[in-house]
Amino acid sequence: MLRRIAFTLATVAAAGFVAAAPATANDWEGGKAGGGYQHVEGHKASAEYLNLGGPYGITYAKEKKAHFEAERGYFYTQYLHGR
């Protein structure tokens, strides 16, 4: 009985080595890819207004504005090849 079990295990192990040999002998390829998108937008505003004396009086106005916008897209890949 023990002899049959040993023979069966040896046969299975030999079959595993035979099946794995072509896989290790061939070239392998692999890699990864990724990408992304970013959008940033900012605003800043300031205003000042002064009216003295109605429609014919002294009018003072001051205004400041700022606007910022940035956009970026990217894509990257990494390719691996072995022999």
Side-chain angles (χ1 to χ4, degrees), residues 51-80:
N51 185 8
L52 299 174
Y56 303 108
I58 300 171
T59 301
Y60 168 78
K62 181 179 179 182
E63 183 177 340
K64 293 180 183 178
K65 286 185 179 181
H67 177 75
F68 172 77
E69 186 171 358
E71 199 167 353
R72 178 176 86 145
Y74 58 92
F75 180 75
Y76 70 90
T77 61
Q78 182 181 19
Y79 180 73
L80 304 171

Side-chain angles (χ1 to χ4, degrees), residues 16-35:
F17 285 125
V18 170
T24 59
N26 288 339
D27 293 342
W28 57 270
E29 296 181 4
K32 61 182 176 179

